[in-house]
Structure formats: C-alpha cells, structure tokens
Amino acid sequence: MPNQLFNSNTTRADSVFTDLRTRIVEGEITPSSKLSEPELAKYYQISRSTLRDALSRIEACGLVERKANIGYRVVALSTEGLLELFQVRESLEGMACRLAAQNMSENQIVQLNELLNIHQQDEPLQRGQGYIQQEGDLDFHYQIVMGSGNKQLIRLLCEELYYLVRMYRYQFGMPSPRAKRAFNEHQNIIQAITDKDGELAEILMRRHIAASRLNVEKRMNVNE
Amino acid sequence: MPNQLFNSNTTRADSVFTDLRTRIVEGEITPSSKLSEPELAKYYQISRSTLRDALSRIEACGLVERKANIGYRVVALSTEGLLELFQVRESLEGMACRLAAQNMSENQIVQLNELLNIHQQDEPLQRGQGYIQQEGDLDFHYQIVMGSGNKQLIRLLCEELYYLVRMYRYQFGMPSPRAKRAFNEHQNIIQAITDKDGELAEILMRRHIAASRLNVEKRMNVNE
DNA sequence: ATTGATAAAAGTGTCGACAATAATATTTGT
DNA sequence: ACAAATATTATTGTCGACACTTTTATCAAT
C-alpha cells in the first residue's frame, strides 16, 4: 500500500521490517492480533518469502510470536508483562548507567547535558504532556545505554526491549504525574555520571525506573 | 548429512535450527567463519528457504550475524566480548535471583537444593574438571532464572545469552581454580533464597558472577 | 610484475508454486 | 436440533528458479 517504500538502497525485507515494526509499536496493528502472511504480503506487494524474512526479524525484537504451523501473532500486552519489563530494565539500565559513568567520553557527557537542557526548556514536556515527553525520556535512556559501550547491553535494550517499551506506552499511556520528578531524577543521574561515580549512577537509575514501576503498580491496584 | 534428523513432529527448520545451534556452540563450526547458504542447505539436504528460516532464529540467539547482500557469519569471540557478557549476566541474573527469592515455590527450592547435593557428591565436579562442572554450573543458574518467573528474563537468559556463554566456555575453557569457591557461593545463594531474602540473594549472585569476571580479567592481563 | 578494468563465477534477495497442516464448512447419524 | 465425523477451504512449510549483488578470475596497460 505505501507506495514509495522501496526507494532506498536497502533490501525490500528491510524496508518492510522497519515499517511493520512501526505499525505494531504504534498500535495500528493491534496487540494479540493474528498476522496473515498472504494478507500482509499482498499489502506490501511482496512475496511471502521476503515478508517472512521481515517477520522473523520482528520476532527477534519480541514484538510478535510464532507457533509452528499456526503463524505469527502480535504479542499480548498485560500489566504483568509491563511490570516484568520494568524489572528487566531496572537491572540492565542500572548496569548500563554504571558503565556509562565509567566509560562515557567528555563529548558524550556534554551531549547528554545538552539533551537535558532541551528538555528543561520544553514547556509541555516539563508538564509531561503528550507522547513527546515519552520520546524525550527514551532519548535520555538511549544515550546512556549507548554511552555504556557494552554491545550486548546496546543490542538488548536499544534493538529489542525499547520497542516493546514504546509499544506499551502507546497502548497504556504514560504516568504523567511523574514527569517533573522524573526530570529531576535525570539531572541527578547525569551529575553522578559527570562525577564518574558509577556506583551511585547505577543506584539512581535503578530507583528512577523502580519509581515508574511502583507508579504503575499503584494504578493497577486502584483499577481492580 | 545426519540422516535421522527429521523424524520428530517438528518442522525441518526447527530440527536444523537446533542442530546448527549446537554445532556453533560447541565450536564444530568455527567462530567468525562465513556460512554459505548453498553449502549448508546441501549438507542438511533442505532448500535455502528453510535453511534461512533456521538461520534467522540462530541470529536471534546472537550466535550469528547477518549483513545485507553479504550473508551470515558466526559471531567473533573476544575477551572484551566475554567481559561484556559477564556484565550483562551480573545485572540480569542478579535481578533474577532477587525475584527467585521472592517467587520460588517450596518445591522449586527443594529441587534447587537437590541439584546442589548432586554437585557436592560429584568428585570431578568438585575439583572443577572437564566441562561437566561447566554444565552443572549452568544448570544451577538456569533453575534460578526459571524460578524468577519473569518471562523476559527467562527469554533473554535461557534462550539467548546462555548459548553464547556456553560457546565462550567451549572456546576459552573455564577457570578451574574457582570451582570449589563457586560451589560455596552457590550454597550461600540458595540459603538467601530459602530465607526469601531477595536483597541479599541479588548481592550474592552479582558477586558470584563478578568474581568469575575478575578471574578472566586477571588471566587477561597475565597473557598480554 | 603490479595495478586497474573487465568478465566470469558464486552468493544472496526475491519470487511463485506445490505439499502438509490447521481452520472452517458441510454432512451424517441419533 | 445437536454432535461427531467428513469434506472443503485457507494458511503455513518447503521447494526450485531467476534477478541482482558481491566476489573471484581474467585480461590489458603501463
């Protein structure tokens, strides 16, 4: 359907992979819904082979699941799954933050501070409105993970879990009351990184993510 | 080549995936080596399509890498990569251990203790000889991760990282001097889990893995 | 002999078709 | 009318072939 999708220098499977991933993350393709290979292949006007190529990569991101002889299905979202995701992030990003404090170059630290300045001047973001705040938040976490220099961490977080995180945010929304507080926590984390205090940086990051998780847990209990 | 490989109730791609994964993990297919699709397809007497299906799943395990128009290549192993893997394990398994202390059933804890008893009675394992010790060690870690009940953790560790861990062990060997000490650390970890002390369990597991990492780092500095 | 351009070979990306399995619709028996 | 068994349809698994890209081999020129 989207016509000018294959005009780059990448493969067709690559383009479809990227597009499909976005449509799943943003909820255009509903969670838990079945994916029909013939249907999708027709939609993108490609063969089932290249579609399957794209789908297998999306499966590696954890966005779809596959059963033999049954096919692909978008993952199901649940509050339990969201909490599990927070726990994994708490441990992984905590470690990433520790390593970032040890390994980030001066230049990278400057860039991180600049990102925070942008966030500070952005009014709606400060109020935690809209999904801009969410993306801004992920940018921050993203840069720290990249700064860790650990390829496994980068792969697990930036190429897998973060897509699921964004998917949850599109579907469940973001706890806005924490926006202002979250910004302050970001500031403290950067301070620890600037001081090259890896131990503290890890603790602060873990608390930062745990606070978000507890916020969700609180909302959970209210709504049941 | 291996004749009776397809006699189960799974798909061909599934069988090839499992077999190929083992051959890569155990080093029969050398790290960093190029994988020729026609060659492998001929070896397994399957079409390239189903081979690619198997390969894409192996890529999801992080055992091979793929470049567009170039093909698949077994991942390169390096001491830096091994240290990065330790850091990821330290954070993930630390969290898994904390959750295991909170969530494991009585039955699961009993089973964990039984595993340790088996290890205690196994003489060569106590001396840390051969790869039996290695597999026994992984069994222990495996059970704890499963006991965490966190599906993301289980997926990341048991279905991805542990295969790479085993691949490194086959290639680099295992630091034997730590065998006895490692066993004692396992005991202490189980004690914390039995006491349902999640905080302590996490700390002990992190130290346990960090100790292995430091051991490797020490050997690294000697050999250079 | 070495380098650069050109041609041949091999390899990956993509396609459409058939086979095997699962899901659906129909028939049959009570 | 309902249930179980059967037949039909649709979907996934697998295959072989062709197109395009990369690599290797050949050749030309200095």
Side-chain angles (χ1 to χ4, degrees), chain A residues 2-222:
Chain A
N3 253 341
Q4 298 302 67
L5 190 65
F6 303 137
N7 275 10
S8 73
N9 50 0
T10 66
T11 65
R12 270 168 239 261
D14 216 345
S15 308
V16 171
F17 163 61
T18 306
D19 187 74
L20 206 53
R21 187 181 56 189
T22 303
R23 291 174 63 203
I24 291 174
V25 164
E26 299 186 355
E28 181 188 331
I29 301 179
T30 317
S32 304
S33 65
K34 174 86 166 58
L35 296 179
S36 161
E37 292 182 11
E39 190 181 312
L40 276 174
K42 191 180 172 188
Y43 175 90
Y44 285 110
Q45 300 190 331
I46 57 175
S47 73
R48 272 183 56 224
S49 309
T50 91
L51 174 72
R52 274 150 88 63
D53 191 339
L55 281 174
S56 71
R57 285 190 245 175
I58 290 179
E59 187 184 13
C61 296
L63 296 181
V64 301
E65 290 169 339
R66 181 190 182 188
K67 282 184 184 170
N69 290 313
I70 305 255
Y72 289 95
R73 184 173 284 277
V74 180
V75 292
L77 303 189
S78 65
T79 42
E80 294 78 27
L82 179 56
L83 297 181
E84 291 183 350
L85 190 54
F86 269 118
Q87 287 165 339
V88 173
R89 283 186 63 197
E90 181 177 330
S91 67
L92 281 181
E93 295 199 36
M95 176 60 76
C97 202
R98 171 189 289 263
L99 297 175
Q102 295 169 4
N103 301 333
M104 267 181 131
S105 68
E106 291 308 315
N107 208 330
Q108 283 177 308
I109 295 178
V110 169
Q111 281 186 314
L112 198 57
N113 274 291
E114 282 173 4
L115 183 67
L116 205 68
N117 280 334
I118 295 173
H119 290 178
Q120 188 164 27
Q121 282 154 22
D122 192 44
E123 272 305 322
L125 189 146
Q126 276 291 317
R127 279 187 250 104
Q129 289 172 350
Y131 90 108
I132 306 159
Q133 198 275 339
Q134 303 177 16
E135 295 297 329
D137 176 71
L138 262 196
D139 283 348
F140 175 79
H141 289 258
Y142 192 93
Q143 278 200 27
I144 289 179
V145 173
M146 296 304 283
S148 77
N150 184 311
K151 284 174 194 162
Q152 291 285 346
L153 277 174
I154 292 171
R155 191 174 72 92
L156 293 177
L157 285 167
C158 299
E159 289 167 31
E160 289 190 35
L161 297 178
Y162 279 172
Y163 290 100
L164 201 80
V165 169
R166 292 181 58 215
M167 190 171 162
Y168 266 106
R169 288 190 177 173
Y170 269 96
Q171 214 67 27
F172 285 46
M174 173 81 165
S176 6
R178 266 190 45 75
K180 186 80 182 181
R181 213 171 306 168
F183 176 80
N184 291 332
E185 289 168 0
H186 284 190
Q187 276 188 313
N188 292 334
I189 289 171
I190 289 189
Q191 187 58 53
I193 290 176
T194 306
D195 296 341
K196 305 213 177 299
D197 187 341
E199 194 180 334
L200 180 61
E202 174 165 16
I203 292 172
L204 291 179
M205 178 60 88
R206 287 189 63 153
R207 280 200 199 165
H208 174 58
I209 295 173
S212 289
R213 191 194 72 228
L214 292 169
N215 209 39
V216 172
E217 286 179 359
K218 206 165 59 184
R219 273 205 305 184
M220 249 179 80
N221 295 332
V222 171

Side-chain angles (χ1 to χ4, degrees), chain B residues 11 29 38 60 65 80 82 94 114-115 117 119 131 141 163 190 205 208:
Chain B
T11 66
I29 300 179
E65 290 168 340
E80 293 78 27
L82 179 56
E114 282 173 1
L115 182 68
N117 280 334
H119 290 177
Y131 89 108
H141 288 259
Y163 290 101
I190 289 190
M205 178 60 89
H208 174 58

Side-chain angles (χ1 to χ4, degrees), chain B residues 79-135:
Chain B
T79 42
E80 293 78 27
L82 179 56
L83 296 182
E84 291 183 351
L85 191 54
F86 269 118
Q87 288 165 339
V88 172
R89 284 186 62 198
E90 181 178 330
S91 68
L92 281 181
E93 294 198 38
M95 176 60 77
C97 202
R98 171 188 290 263
L99 297 175
Q102 295 169 5
N103 301 333
M104 268 181 131
S105 67
E106 291 307 315
N107 208 331
Q108 283 177 309
I109 296 178
V110 168
Q111 281 186 315
L112 197 58
N113 274 291
E114 282 173 1
L115 182 68
L116 205 68
N117 280 334
I118 294 173
H119 290 177
Q120 188 164 28
Q121 283 154 21
D122 192 44
E123 272 305 320
L125 187 148
Q126 277 290 317
R127 277 186 252 104
Q129 289 172 350
Y131 89 108
I132 307 160
Q133 199 274 337
Q134 303 177 16
E135 295 296 329

Side-chain angles (χ1 to χ4, degrees), chain B residues 185-200:
Chain B
E185 289 168 1
H186 284 191
Q187 275 187 314
N188 292 334
I189 289 171
I190 289 190
Q191 186 59 52
I193 290 177
T194 305
D195 296 342
K196 304 211 178 298
D197 187 342
E199 194 180 334
L200 180 61

